[in-house]
Each structure stands twice: as structure tokens, then as C-alpha cells.
Amino acid sequence: PFVLQECVGYFLQSFGKHGVSKISLRFLKSAYAVVFGIAARISPVKDMTTLVRAFAQTVAMYPSARLVIAGDGEQRQELEKEQKKELQTLIEQQTAAYISDKARSLGLDCRVTVCCKVGEEGVPYPDSVTVEGAASEELGAWITQELNIPTERQVFHGVEE
């Protein structure tokens, strides 16, 4: 059976009876993509979890970096779980940075924390936000419109504008 999942700049792909299936060109399509790959049994001896965690840091510094993991084994479920956790963390961090950038453009100095929920399809999405250091109706309205986070899941701690 073929399994392919994209998350945090890497693919997890398993071997089928007829070898490895083709990798999505959409994943690799970038003029500046640097692709790293490994074909190995996914087992504790190979310590793929450390590889995935380290690669998540690489992607944070070099967003076009890609990792292809081709293999299967007893640690596969653990690796898939780690993959989902890394994706959720990345979405939370990137969404918080996006909101912080908007806040700065509005002249606000604040610290933003975003929490995700996992949707029906197993993909995390921004569900709530906490803003410390400034309160702004304009920023709250933008968060609702741009990120679809309703005002009841937005918490502002700080001084009103």
C-alpha cells in the first residue's frame, strides 16, 4: 500500500509491492528547493524522529528545504504522530507571526499566541488567539475577517487603545 503525507517540509512515503511510487511534483516544485532524501526502514535503530525534529528546524531557517522519507516499519505511527505535532506547531508559530506583523502595522506592540485545533480531515487550523500588551478592536476585526477566528476566541490582555 502507498502512503504519502506532506507536513512541515517533508514527505513520508512507504514502499509498495512495486517499489516507491512517484513523489508529488507539487512538493518538490520550487526554483530554490533543496531536497534531502532517505530510504530506510522506519525503526527505533534509525531514529527518524530525531531526523524529523532536526529537519523542522532546518525548514524554519530555509523554507524551501524538502525531506523525502521512503520506508516503512514499526516506528511509522510514531513518526506520523510527530509529523502532525510539528505541523501544528508550525501553523501556530506562523499564524502568530502573521498577526504580530499586522499588529505592528497598526502601531501596536504586543505578544501573540495562537492555539490550533485538529479539523475533521486531521489537519490543524488556528482556533484561538491571545494578544498580550495591546487591545485593539481593529486588530480583533482583522483576525476575525482574515483568519476566521471569532471574537469569543480572541483574548486581549493589556491597555485599550
Side-chain angles (χ1 to χ4, degrees), residues 70-88:
D72 209 346
E74 64 269 16
Q75 203 178 22
R76 183 180 183 82
Q77 286 182 336
E78 180 184 332
L79 192 59
E80 288 173 342
K81 190 178 195 180
E82 183 69 26
Q83 185 182 41
K84 288 177 183 176
K85 186 175 104 180
E86 293 292 338
L87 175 61
Q88 181 167 330

Side-chain angles (χ1 to χ4, degrees), residues 70-127:
D72 209 346
E74 64 269 16
Q75 203 178 22
R76 183 180 183 82
Q77 286 182 336
E78 180 184 332
L79 192 59
E80 288 173 342
K81 190 178 195 180
E82 183 69 26
Q83 185 182 41
K84 288 177 183 176
K85 186 175 104 180
E86 293 292 338
L87 175 61
Q88 181 167 330
T89 300
L90 182 68
I91 291 171
E92 289 171 345
Q93 291 171 346
Q94 294 295 322
T95 305
Y98 185 48
I99 295 169
S100 294
D101 287 347
K102 179 61 177 181
R104 269 191 296 283
S105 76
L106 295 172
L108 303 172
D109 183 27
C110 60
R111 190 174 135 236
V112 179
T113 305
V114 174
C115 292
C116 284
K117 271 192 175 177
V118 178
E120 292 176 16
E121 297 177 4
V123 178
Y125 65 92
D127 179 65

Side-chain angles (χ1 to χ4, degrees), residues 12 15-16 18-19 41 50 68 70 80 83 86 89 125 141 147 152 155:
L12 182 58
F15 291 95
H18 305 290
R41 181 157 177 72
T50 299
V68 176
E80 288 173 342
Q83 185 182 41
E86 293 292 338
T89 300
Y125 65 92
L147 300 169
E152 57 269 13
V155 178

